[in-house]
Amino acid sequence: MAFGVIRALPQLSLEQVRRVLYKQVYFSGFEALTLIVIVAMAIGGIIVGQLHFTFGQSGEGALQMLALILLGELAPVLIAIIMIARSSSAMASELAAMKVNGEIRNLQRMGIDPAVYLVMPRVLGLMLSSLMLTIYLAFIAIVTGAVIVAGKSALVELVLLLANANVVLLLTCLLKSMVFGWAMASVACQRGLAAGSDFNDIPKAASAAVIRCLLVVFVLDGCFIAAKALL
Amino acid sequence: MTGWSIPLADGGRQALAAGGRLSLELPAAERETLTDRLLADAYQQARQYKMRQPVWLAADGGLISNLKAWENTVLLASLRDDRFAAALEPEVAALVALLPEPPGGWSRLFAATAAALPLPEKRLIGLLRSILAKPELMLLDGRLLRYPDFVGNYWQPLLPQLQACTLILIHDAGGETPSGWTALSWPASLPESHENAAAA
């Protein structure tokens, strides 16, 4: 299923398929923004506060460590956990409900491939949302951290941080967030479409999707860490 | 082959006349499986002979519950013919002009989520969706024609839109065949196909 998305990509030229993609990005990405802003401010404030005020790290050093922690690990993993709780469970239960109500069969009987109409736009939507939210989270957390350690000189600290930016770290972070998004959506769709005809299968699919998505994200993160160690 | 054909149990095929009206009786226990088989065969033929893809009209309309009625209406035509939903508005307007206005008006109906619609309106949306797809072959659940409100309000006024379409009404054994429809049962009463006859 995960690789079927690539095969179905040309169908994005269809308006109805794009609508499903837009809805997915709206639900997973846009509607989650308020939560992400709050979490990002808390993360940035807590980490920089601890490093600067408790452990005596310099303002610039604390900010650099925050950026390293966020881009290296925390931002994509935290976004993945939030998205698993918000979107993967919802996606699995939505598809399971469609399966239980016979709507998947109806689509197939109309000659509409669920992989094209339901799965591909959802997987792509979650990938894009994961990418965007990771950028938002990292950006807002770093800005919050800069304001806490430097106050009115926050902009100077941010410019300094940008001048020393590690491009490889940044690109790895973005790649990781997209891979997590792809994996979460694929697992959620697979669990949802695997539901039977019993209404009890809907909560079971949601629960199974959450557990499996968490496992898959941690395994993939382990793979990224192992690859980084080997290279 | 230029017309539609349906499969026989022995693998032979029976060609259907364009615009024909068939009432196909299926064993109740195998109804769903055989319907899937008929449809799969029809899709394969559509691809093989470059004909328009068939449509299936379910007894409950077969709508996607989390889409709005309008989105359900244009879904099939939009996906198959890569048309924008807005471009289908005049066609839908022409179709609904033939029908009695529902309580609350058409805008209320099309703006509602499919899950919130009463069953007769779900069937109407299913029918509109099928007609908009401009099928050459349409399979429909025989139970639909047992609902007088559906037949009187929606089916009869819209049936002329399906003049060129072959219709296959699928119902359980023992169900009544409507007048004007040729009754068939699965598979014994299907006449031998041209291919079988030629082989014999």
Side-chain angles (χ1 to χ4, degrees):
Chain A
M1 178 177 290
F3 296 101
V5 172
I6 298 165
R7 189 172 41 85
L9 269 180
Q11 304 299 320
L12 262 184
S13 62
L14 300 170
E15 184 202 15
Q16 295 299 323
V17 178
R18 283 200 306 275
R19 284 179 74 91
V20 181
L21 170 68
Y22 300 152
K23 278 184 184 175
Q24 190 60 54
V25 171
Y26 180 80
F27 171 72
S28 306
F30 188 74
E31 285 195 333
L33 267 181
T34 313
L35 175 67
I36 298 301
V37 168
I38 293 166
V39 170
M41 288 173 79
I43 295 279
I46 289 166
I47 293 178
V48 163
Q50 288 291 311
L51 291 170
H52 186 58
F53 299 115
T54 310
F55 296 107
Q57 185 71 249
S58 69
E60 191 185 335
L63 209 56
Q64 278 180 353
M65 284 186 78
L66 172 68
L68 202 67
I69 292 167
L70 278 171
L71 300 179
E73 202 61 49
L74 198 58
V77 172
L78 201 60
I79 289 296
I81 292 171
I82 291 171
M83 291 189 90
I84 288 169
R86 270 194 93 250
S87 308
S88 297
S89 54
M91 196 182 281
S93 53
E94 182 192 16
L95 292 179
M98 288 181 78
K99 186 81 186 289
V100 170
N101 290 329
E103 292 172 20
I104 303 288
R105 188 172 204 172
N106 278 332
L107 280 176
Q108 287 168 328
R109 282 184 167 184
M110 287 190 290
I112 298 171
D113 185 356
V116 170
Y117 181 64
L118 298 176
V119 177
M120 183 267 285
R122 279 173 172 76
V123 173
L124 208 59
L126 218 59
M127 279 174 78
L128 291 173
S129 302
S130 176
L131 179 71
M132 288 188 307
L133 292 180
T134 301
I135 295 169
Y136 277 127
L137 184 121
F139 177 75
I140 292 167
I142 289 170
V143 169
T144 307
V147 170
I148 286 175
V149 296
K152 288 178 182 173
S153 313
L155 198 60
V156 178
E157 291 289 345
L158 287 173
V159 171
L160 278 172
L161 188 70
L162 203 62
N164 298 318
N166 184 339
V167 179
V168 176
L169 187 70
L170 181 66
L171 291 178
T172 311
C173 170
L174 299 182
L175 175 71
K176 204 187 258 190
S177 66
M178 285 179 74
V179 170
F180 287 171
W182 163 76
M184 288 183 293
S186 302
V187 169
C189 289
Q190 192 270 330
R191 293 318 306 160
L193 293 175
S197 53
D198 188 345
F199 276 98
N200 289 324
D201 290 340
I202 301 172
K204 279 182 191 168
S207 159
V210 168
I211 302 296
R212 288 195 188 199
C213 283
L214 280 173
L215 286 174
V216 167
V217 163
F218 288 133
V219 167
L220 284 172
D221 196 39
C223 293
F224 271 101
I225 292 169
K228 190 178 167 187
L230 289 172
L231 292 172
Chain B
M1 186 188 290
T2 53
W4 286 102
S5 67
I6 52 174
L8 292 168
D10 62 0
R13 285 162 194 280
Q14 168 64 36
L16 303 177
R21 303 285 184 265
L22 285 179
S23 169
L24 182 60
E25 197 175 90
L26 296 179
E30 294 176 275
R31 192 168 184 273
E32 298 298 315
T33 321
L34 290 175
T35 304
D36 284 340
R37 182 179 152 187
L38 274 169
L39 276 163
D41 190 77
Y43 282 118
Q44 192 197 333
Q45 287 179 62
R47 282 191 293 273
Q48 191 176 351
Y49 300 114
K50 297 188 172 24
M51 298 175 79
R52 289 192 66 77
Q53 290 193 322
V55 295
W56 161 251
L57 180 54
D60 62 355
L63 306 187
I64 307 302
S65 56
N66 58 2
L67 293 182
K68 290 189 166 139
W70 169 254
E71 292 171 318
N72 269 291
T73 307
V74 298
L75 178 69
L76 203 52
S78 184
L79 276 177
R80 286 186 178 179
D81 298 335
D82 194 8
R83 295 177 67 185
F84 282 95
L88 291 161
E89 275 179 34
E91 286 176 48
V92 178
L95 290 174
V96 299
L98 303 168
L99 304 172
E101 189 157 315
W106 291 109
S107 50
R108 193 265 326 158
L109 174 68
F110 285 121
T113 309
L117 292 177
L119 213 44
E121 292 181 347
K122 285 183 181 176
R123 293 183 191 118
L124 164 64
I125 298 295
L127 179 59
L128 288 173
R129 178 178 67 188
S130 303
I131 293 172
L132 277 180
K134 296 186 171 60
E136 290 177 59
L137 176 68
M138 180 166 157
L139 284 84
L140 60 153
D141 194 310
R143 285 172 287 187
L144 277 166
L145 299 193
R146 289 188 213 149
Y147 303 117
D149 55 344
F150 175 78
V151 175
N153 292 336
Y154 310 135
W155 178 252
Q156 293 295 355
L158 292 176
L159 192 57
Q161 308 296 320
L162 293 166
Q163 276 301 330
C165 174
T166 301
L167 301 177
I168 302 182
L169 190 69
I170 292 175
H171 59 87
D172 295 341
E176 278 184 36
T177 301
S179 61
W181 294 67
T182 309
L184 299 170
S185 64
W186 181 275
S189 75
L190 289 175
E192 201 163 352
S193 72
H194 303 308
E195 291 160 22
N196 280 0

